[in-house]
């Protein structure tokens, strides 16, 4: 007999394929949302890496996922860092609207805003600056 897969890992796998119905069902059974994979990513962090999974990210947030989770082996990255490094302005906006913190530095001492600037994702920089009140009208 093989090892039984944890329900948290099953939820994580459903995130990767975008199965909201199964995610909701598992969460309804009390399955946790903060399981961490070998790379240090939670289900929400994975959903924030791909534009086609924004609906999954929204669902996970509604179900109580931590928008500021930074597991020990995540290099200090949070969901907003994962979205920023990929230029996903809509996902960044979603996270900001649910209390994501952009000023928290990663283990490399850079924040989500620094990441967006470094990778020249002006669209993400604008979303962060507008969402956090960094822009001043002249």
């Amino acid at each position: 007999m093989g090892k039984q897969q944890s329900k948290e890992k099953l939820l994580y796998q459903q995130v990767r394929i975008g199965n909201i119905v199964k995610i909701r069902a598992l969460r309804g059974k009390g399955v946790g949302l903060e399981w961490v994979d070998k790379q240090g990513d939670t289900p929400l962090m994975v959903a924030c890496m791909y534009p086609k999974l924004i609906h999954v990210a929204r669902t996970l947030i509604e179900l109580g996922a931590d928008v500021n989770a930074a597991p020990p082996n995540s290099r200090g990255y949070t969901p907003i860092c994962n979205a920023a490094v990929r230029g996903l302005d809509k996902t960044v906006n979603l996270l900001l609207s649910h209390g994501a913190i952009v000023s928290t530095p990663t283990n490399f001492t850079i924040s989500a805003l620094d990441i967006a600037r470094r990778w020249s994702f002006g669209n993400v920089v604008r979303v962060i600056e507008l969402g956090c009140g960094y822009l001043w009208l002249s």
Side-chain angles (χ1 to χ4, degrees), residues 73-125:
N73 57 340
S74 71
R75 304 160 314 278
Y77 274 53
T78 60
I80 201 164
C81 292
N82 283 0
V85 78
R86 288 166 179 81
L88 304 180
D89 56 331
K90 291 177 183 169
T91 304
V92 167
N93 191 48
L94 171 70
L95 293 163
L96 286 173
S97 71
H98 287 88
I101 299 169
V102 297
S103 59
T104 304
T106 67
N107 290 356
F108 305 108
T109 67
I110 58 173
S111 68
L113 181 57
D114 298 327
I115 290 168
R117 285 180 176 148
R118 183 169 291 172
W119 286 90
S120 300
F121 289 125
N123 56 333
V124 174
V125 171

